[in-house]
Amino acid sequence: METSMWISLLATGVIAGTPILFAALGEILTERAGILNLGVEGMMLVGAVTGFLVTHSAQNEWIGLAMATVAGGLMALIHAFLCITLRANQVVSGLALTIFGSGLSGYLGKNLIGVPLANTFKPVPIPGLSEIPVIGEILFKHDVLVYISYALIALIWFFLFRTKAGLELRAVGENPAAADAAGINVFATRYACVIAGGMLAGIAGAYLSLAYAPSWLENMTAGRGWIAVALVIFGMWNPVRAFFGSFFFGTIDVLGFTMQTLGIQIPSFFLKMLPYVFTIVVLIVVTRETKTRRVASPEALGLSYNREER
């Protein structure tokens, strides 16, 4: 391929990876607090349909994004109540929310299929940075939500590893009983992280319907929520590594279109499989790597906490 085509592929990979990145950053916060959220896909779908519906009604994409964020947070609140307050099985709760989100989004969006959207997030090149050869074209000629995702990577990393609140959050995910004994409010911390994770999943869904492919299609997330959950493991619960993972999966996602442009004859079904095949392969490799390096998930991940059993 020519250099320009490589640059175009990588730039498109950043765009395609952005919704996965938003969802993965939210899941990192959630899992660092010890809660497993398998409802990311459903939260993304509800965020996507809410963002599209509100934007179409209000004629303002920022209002649509805000409401998508709220919708994702409300979905996460259900998960938090079930898993933290009622101590329900976190896997079952997450799967139920994915099914619920798929059905709810399909119902809310049944009259929105094929409806054009006038207000969307359009590319806004950053002066100066966008003129840097190669790097500028790949990273700095996108819409504002892509730039927000860059900022979130730095903010979440700094919060988790350089602040007292981040240390307390990680303590809750590792040993909630010890954190509770030290005066940390385990339940409030977990609630906050789960809701924040759901809000980011809502933004991820809204990015799909308001920026990536401005439209509404039933189940338009196409499994990206599951890739985001896998990406957390790939990134070893680190926001910076999650960025590179999302960039990688985004590039793989759009690689099929580039191959078709080059005239390479490959069945479309195989091309659609590529991101998920690579997800499985990467999970196998990373799982072996974490065992070698003794890098493990948060110790209390997936476990409910009961103060009476402390």
Side-chain angles (χ1 to χ4, degrees):
M1 289 194 296
E2 297 180 359
T3 302
S4 60
M5 188 165 288
W6 276 111
I7 293 174
S8 177
L9 171 64
L10 295 176
T12 309
V14 171
I15 298 172
T18 296
I20 301 174
L21 177 60
F22 273 119
L25 291 175
E27 185 67 7
I28 286 173
L29 286 175
T30 303
E31 293 195 13
R32 279 287 185 178
I35 301 296
L36 177 64
N37 180 11
L38 297 183
V40 176
E41 181 85 357
M43 295 174 190
M44 287 179 67
L45 283 169
V46 172
V49 72
T50 301
F52 188 91
L53 179 62
V54 174
T55 298
H56 182 262
S57 301
Q59 295 298 303
N60 187 304
E61 64 273 26
W62 287 103
I63 296 177
L65 178 68
M67 294 310 297
T69 306
V70 172
L74 290 175
M75 287 283 288
L77 180 60
I78 297 172
H79 186 60
F81 177 72
L82 290 172
C83 298
I84 301 171
T85 302
L86 300 184
R87 299 195 295 278
N89 185 288
Q90 296 178 18
V91 174
V92 174
S93 175
L95 293 176
L97 279 177
T98 290
I99 297 170
F100 173 68
S102 177
L104 178 62
S105 62
Y107 174 75
L108 294 175
K110 63 181 180 180
N111 296 323
L112 299 175
I113 298 175
V115 174
L117 195 63
N119 302 82
T120 61
F121 289 97
K122 298 177 176 62
V124 182
I126 299 179
L129 293 177
S130 62
E131 298 169 9
I132 300 173
V134 183
I135 297 298
E137 294 182 59
I138 294 174
L139 296 177
F140 302 115
K141 287 188 175 182
H142 303 298
D143 57 84
V144 67
L145 294 183
V146 174
Y147 307 141
I148 290 174
S149 73
Y150 296 163
L152 280 175
I153 295 167
L155 287 173
I156 293 175
W157 181 89
F158 184 83
F159 169 74
L160 285 175
F161 302 110
R162 291 294 183 271
T163 67
K164 179 182 177 183
L167 177 61
E168 291 177 348
L169 187 160
R170 289 184 286 131
V172 168
E174 294 292 342
N175 191 329
D180 194 6
I184 301 170
N185 191 325
V186 174
F187 300 102
T189 300
R190 286 188 163 185
Y191 259 96
C193 289
V194 173
I195 293 172
M199 293 171 72
L200 287 171
I203 294 174
Y207 185 83
L208 289 172
S209 61
L210 301 180
Y212 182 62
S215 60
W216 165 252
L217 293 172
E218 192 170 345
N219 293 319
M220 69 182 302
T221 51
R224 289 179 177 86
W226 298 110
I227 292 178
V229 174
L231 183 57
V232 174
I233 302 173
F234 171 83
M236 296 181 184
W237 297 268
N238 185 305
V240 177
R241 290 190 60 148
F243 165 72
F244 291 106
S246 66
F247 179 55
F248 171 76
F249 285 117
T251 303
I252 294 298
D253 190 25
V254 300
L255 180 61
F257 298 104
T258 304
M259 294 173 73
Q260 289 178 332
T261 303
L262 294 173
I264 301 174
Q265 299 299 320
I266 297 178
S268 60
F269 294 106
F270 177 77
L271 296 177
K272 291 178 181 178
M273 286 168 52
L274 279 179
Y276 310 103
V277 171
F278 272 88
T279 300
I280 295 171
V281 172
V282 167
L283 277 177
I284 294 172
V285 173
V286 172
T287 300
R288 295 185 62 181
E289 182 181 353
T290 55
K291 290 181 179 178
T292 302
R293 294 187 180 184
R294 298 182 183 278
V295 177
S297 62
E299 190 69 26
L301 179 61
L303 302 177
S304 299
Y305 174 62
N306 184 359
R307 296 192 72 181
E308 305 302 322
E309 298 175 355
R310 189 176 67 184

